Amino acid sequence: MSKVNYFCIFLFLCCISCSELDQDPVSTVSSEAVFNSEKGLELYAKSFYQILPTTNEILRGDNMADFIVRKDVPNFFRPGAFGPKQSSGWTWGQLRNVNYFLEHNISKQIDLETKNHYNGIARFFRALFYFEKVKRFGDVPWINKTLDVDDPLLYGTRDSRVVVIDSVMKDLDYAFTHIRTSKDATKTLITKEVAAAFKARIALFEGTYRKYHTELNLTATADQLLHQAVKASELVIESGVYNLNTKSDKPYRDLFISNQPTNEEFVLVNAYDKELGVLHDANWYYTSASYGDRISFTRSFMNTFLNRDGTTFTANQTYKTKSFVEEIENRDGRLAQLIRTKGYQRNVGGNLTLTPPVFSYTYSGYQPIKWVKDDVFYDSGRNNDNVVPVMRYAEVLLNYAEALAELNLMSEEHWQHTIGKLRARAGIQNSERKPQVVDTYLQTTFYTQVSDPILLEVRRERAIELALEGFRFDDVVRWKMGQLYEKGRNGMYVKQLDEPLDLNSDGVLDVVFYIGKPKDQIPGVQYVNVDPSKGGLRLSETTHGELEWLWNDPIQWEDKFYLYPIPEKDLLINTNLKQNPGW
């Protein structure tokens, strides 16, 4: 198990701090035992790892994605269901913990290189902390010291995102320069390359946010950040520390069901251990009809997966009426490693059993398997020990490619070593050359603001490769594409009612869609009511067509959703903060 999972037992070493900027700080324990030895610095630094994205945040991170079909409309989008009273996240205890360390790591008994190394780790985590705050709230106070009860900053105003992100970039540069660890076999510690990889992620987010959110009047500073994303990505790539996983016939799926954190594609992971009882609930979340959000994919998203020969699936107009069995044939290899399709098997009581999509879970037919271990043993409770990547080398390549495309700097060589490599791993042929023609389906269905065929393909690749890893909502936000949430939630095409369907071509009938009362029922077959008068699930043409879920409960996007509201209780304490627009 990762050493970082032990951080809780070291929290007594850290200053016990206020959870809000505007609460009184509490006195701390003596610091001599911590700051006079390298072991003390190392133990303290473990407490910073709680700032990393948690496994739950990653596994559930796409439950508000535009291409997701789920059991209900998220409260965030429901009028009157979410606002300042329900908002959260304006907490600052982790920041005080980091700043306390930076102020007290001055012992003359520790050599300068060692102090700088641990300061680099601390500043990495401060940068990550602030990035999450800027994503969530926009402008936030930049605090680089611990605050006393009479400090005016406790009740100060918010600093602009420019000030904060500039400081974040400086922290990350310091981290890269001073962290002395380059390779970590466990993939659980912060190294120089990890710092560079996160700098690329953050610079890409902020550069594109400023480019597309023209209302901020920050477009002139966007390219500078995109260039930083390029340079940081190159540092990671040129280090030679990481490679794409290509060592099996299902190299993509293997990344998400393995319990081994040492894979060369992992940059940083959350690791788990069955013997120590440190486990998570991915199977339960992705297979239960009653626990979790019952997440599946929309058909519109499935349509973006290329054919195996590199052509677009939607170029043939018959795509609109292809059945589930027809549409999954000869596609991007990741499709069959992402959802239940022909040949997918699960271990049921020691027997491998062909398993189709199950409509007690899925609403669209496109049921995920990405994080789901094959044995049904894992399906109830917290039983999973598979590694959860916080960052993969594939993301580094995607960040690099997108920054280059946004800057119009993508060469044939860049393409081959980024998007080309990812598609080659997915078994897609003829992907060595940059695209020359716009995919009109991709453009009109998803990215209406984009006319560059290269950038369109980079966005296609990012959505597919990183699906269910918690990136999509942030991507939609930074591209200012909130209107994607108004598209509706469509599913597989059903050619006619009352026709038993074999969804995974195993010779066993799986599902029947009906209105009113089902006809003579076949044992073992799922019967799904698509009567539009019942609400919920229907067919687009009543007796045939695409499945449509929650068609009577549409999402209406508002631009206020690009930022979360500051919690009401914090505004009441500090009236200088001011609320975000629209909330």
Side-chain angles (χ1 to χ4, degrees):
M1 184 183 72
S2 162
K3 288 187 281 186
V4 302
N5 288 323
Y6 292 109
F7 77 83
C8 289
I9 69 174
F10 306 125
L11 290 182
F12 77 95
L13 297 170
C14 309
C15 58
I16 302 170
S17 60
C18 56
S19 63
E20 311 288 342
L21 261 183
D22 34 52
Q23 291 181 340
D24 294 347
V26 182
S27 60
T28 65
V29 298
S30 173
S31 62
E32 284 80 1
V34 177
F35 294 104
N36 284 340
S37 73
E38 181 172 354
K39 191 63 176 177
L41 298 180
E42 180 184 4
L43 295 182
Y44 193 128
K46 299 301 181 193
S47 70
F48 302 150
Y49 282 77
Q50 62 187 304
I51 295 173
L52 288 172
T54 67
T55 288
N56 273 359
E57 288 170 341
I58 296 169
L59 292 178
R60 294 154 169 75
D62 273 348
N63 66 1
M64 288 203 335
D66 63 296
F67 52 50
I68 286 297
V69 181
R70 51 175 279 171
K71 65 181 181 182
D72 54 15
V73 174
N75 282 340
F76 183 74
F77 299 119
R78 285 187 176 278
F82 190 90
K85 287 184 179 180
Q86 294 78 28
S87 191
S88 61
W90 196 264
T91 54
W92 304 86
Q94 293 173 335
L95 175 63
R96 181 178 173 85
N97 187 33
V98 172
N99 284 339
Y100 182 91
F101 179 91
L102 290 168
E103 289 176 349
H104 289 79
N105 186 18
I106 57 175
S107 173
K108 294 181 180 179
Q109 298 183 35
I110 306 293
D111 65 87
L112 182 61
E113 180 191 23
T114 299
K115 286 188 287 191
N116 287 344
H117 165 73
Y118 287 103
N119 282 343
I121 292 173
R123 291 181 68 168
F124 166 83
F125 281 107
R126 183 168 68 183
L128 187 57
F129 172 89
Y130 262 112
F131 173 52
E132 295 301 322
K133 285 289 184 283
V134 170
K135 278 199 305 180
R136 191 171 181 89
F137 298 113
D139 296 346
V140 292
W142 171 256
I143 307 294
N144 61 359
K145 63 177 184 177
T146 55
L147 303 183
D148 295 324
V149 292
D150 58 350
D151 197 309
L153 287 176
L154 283 172
Y155 301 98
T157 60
R158 296 195 276 172
D159 292 305
S160 75
R161 66 189 300 138
V162 174
V163 170
V164 177
I165 293 297
D166 283 351
S167 300
V168 164
M169 292 293 109
K170 290 175 183 177
D171 273 354
L172 290 169
D173 287 340
Y174 183 96
F176 180 81
T177 301
H178 292 95
I179 292 175
R180 61 194 180 198
T181 308
S182 180
K183 294 183 179 181
D184 167 40
T186 73
K187 305 298 180 74
T188 62
L189 300 177
I190 305 306
T191 66
K192 297 173 72 71
E193 289 75 26
V194 170
F198 271 91
K199 182 180 180 182
R201 176 190 285 187
I202 294 169
L204 176 66
F205 178 94
E206 186 63 15
T208 49
Y209 194 100
R210 295 184 189 184
K211 177 175 181 177
Y212 294 108
H213 286 262
T214 55
E215 73 279 5
L216 298 178
N217 295 317
L218 295 174
T219 54
T221 62
D223 282 3
Q224 179 187 15
L225 284 157
L226 293 171
H227 279 291
Q228 291 191 63
V230 168
K231 291 178 181 179
S233 299
E234 288 174 342
L235 288 172
V236 180
I237 294 168
E238 292 168 3
S239 73
V241 175
Y242 311 104
N243 285 294
L244 293 180
N245 180 49
T246 57
K247 294 182 178 178
S248 75
D249 60 345
K250 296 180 180 178
Y252 181 74
R253 175 158 163 73
D254 286 349
L255 290 167
F256 308 104
I257 59 173
S258 170
N259 61 1
Q260 298 300 317
T262 56
N263 190 289
E264 60 185 349
E265 184 166 333
F266 295 150
V267 177
L268 187 67
V269 305
N270 290 334
Y272 290 84
D273 192 293
K274 185 178 297 184
E275 291 184 4
L276 294 173
V278 182
L279 304 166
H280 61 86
D281 65 354
N283 270 53
W284 195 18
Y285 182 73
Y286 280 106
T287 63
S288 173
S290 56
Y291 175 73
D293 298 301
R294 291 179 63 176
I295 286 175
S296 297
F297 295 102
T298 65
R299 192 176 197 230
S300 298
F301 176 59
M302 292 288 102
N303 287 340
T304 66
F305 284 69
L306 296 174
N307 294 321
R308 191 173 300 167
D309 64 5
T311 60
T312 59
F313 174 69
T314 54
N316 186 334
Q317 286 302 304
T318 63
Y319 84 88
K320 294 180 180 180
T321 56
K322 283 184 181 292
S323 68
F324 181 83
V325 170
E326 294 168 335
E327 68 184 340
I328 63 175
E329 290 295 324
N330 299 314
R331 303 288 293 281
D332 179 333
R334 286 167 296 191
L335 190 149
Q337 298 175 62
L338 181 66
I339 64 170
R340 295 187 178 194
T341 61
K342 178 181 178 180
Y344 174 65
Q345 299 182 92
R346 304 210 68 204
N347 186 336
V348 182
N351 298 311
L352 287 178
T353 305
L354 290 167
T355 310
V358 177
F359 277 84
S360 60
Y361 178 88
T362 183
Y363 298 102
S364 69
Y366 307 109
Q367 183 172 350
I369 62 171
K370 181 164 178 173
W371 297 105
V372 179
K373 298 195 77 161
D374 292 332
D375 197 320
V376 298
F377 162 79
Y378 297 96
D379 289 359
S380 180
R382 300 179 67 86
N383 293 318
N384 286 73
D385 62 350
N386 37 322
V387 169
V388 177
V390 177
M391 179 174 285
R392 298 190 286 124
Y393 186 57
E395 186 206 334
V396 175
L397 296 181
L398 288 165
N399 293 341
Y400 186 43
E402 186 178 345
L404 288 167
E406 290 284 4
L407 292 166
N408 197 27
L409 295 176
M410 175 74 79
S411 68
E412 291 287 353
E413 185 177 8
H414 290 138
W415 177 269
Q416 291 165 8
H417 291 300
T418 56
I419 308 303
K421 278 189 174 182
L422 291 166
R423 291 185 175 176
R425 175 170 71 177
I428 301 173
Q429 303 162 7
N430 306 311
S431 296
E432 301 84 6
R433 305 300 299 270
K434 292 190 300 182
Q436 303 295 322
V437 179
V438 164
D439 176 1
T440 55
Y441 176 86
L442 190 64
Q443 184 185 53
T444 58
T445 307
F446 287 94
Y447 310 117
T448 54
Q449 65 184 191
V450 179
S451 57
D452 176 13
I454 296 172
L455 185 56
L456 275 172
E457 294 303 319
V458 170
R459 289 193 181 184
R460 183 205 304 272
E461 194 66 23
R462 183 178 181 88
I464 291 170
E465 179 70 27
L466 299 180
L468 300 186
E469 294 181 55
F471 291 95
R472 184 62 177 186
F473 181 76
D474 288 346
D475 288 345
V476 170
V477 164
R478 65 189 176 90
W479 296 329
K480 201 177 181 182
M481 295 293 296
Q483 66 271 20
L484 288 173
Y485 284 90
E486 299 180 342
K487 290 197 289 68
R489 288 141 285 189
N490 59 342
M492 56 181 274
Y493 186 85
V494 177
K495 295 187 177 183
Q496 66 182 63
L497 294 173
D498 301 311
E499 177 186 18
L501 303 176
D502 176 4
L503 297 179
N504 59 347
S505 303
D506 65 349
V508 178
L509 298 175
D510 299 312
V511 66
V512 172
F513 297 95
Y514 71 93
I515 291 176
K517 292 184 178 180
K519 296 182 179 179
D520 296 336
Q521 295 192 35
I522 305 170
V525 172
Q526 307 165 71
Y527 284 81
V528 180
N529 193 346
V530 289
D531 187 342
S533 68
K534 304 295 184 182
L537 195 64
R538 71 175 183 182
L539 297 179
S540 58
E541 306 299 327
T542 307
T543 60
H544 66 280
E546 293 181 337
L547 291 171
E548 294 182 335
W549 172 243
L550 293 181
W551 50 273
N552 54 342
D553 194 8
I555 292 175
Q556 292 185 336
W557 179 265
E558 298 182 51
D559 282 352
K560 69 178 183 178
F561 296 146
Y562 288 120
L563 294 173
Y564 276 70
I566 297 175
E568 183 179 75
K569 61 185 178 64
D570 297 293
L571 283 173
L572 291 173
I573 293 171
N574 182 4
T575 57
N576 290 321
L577 292 176
K578 308 303 180 186
Q579 186 56 275
N580 279 327
W583 293 105

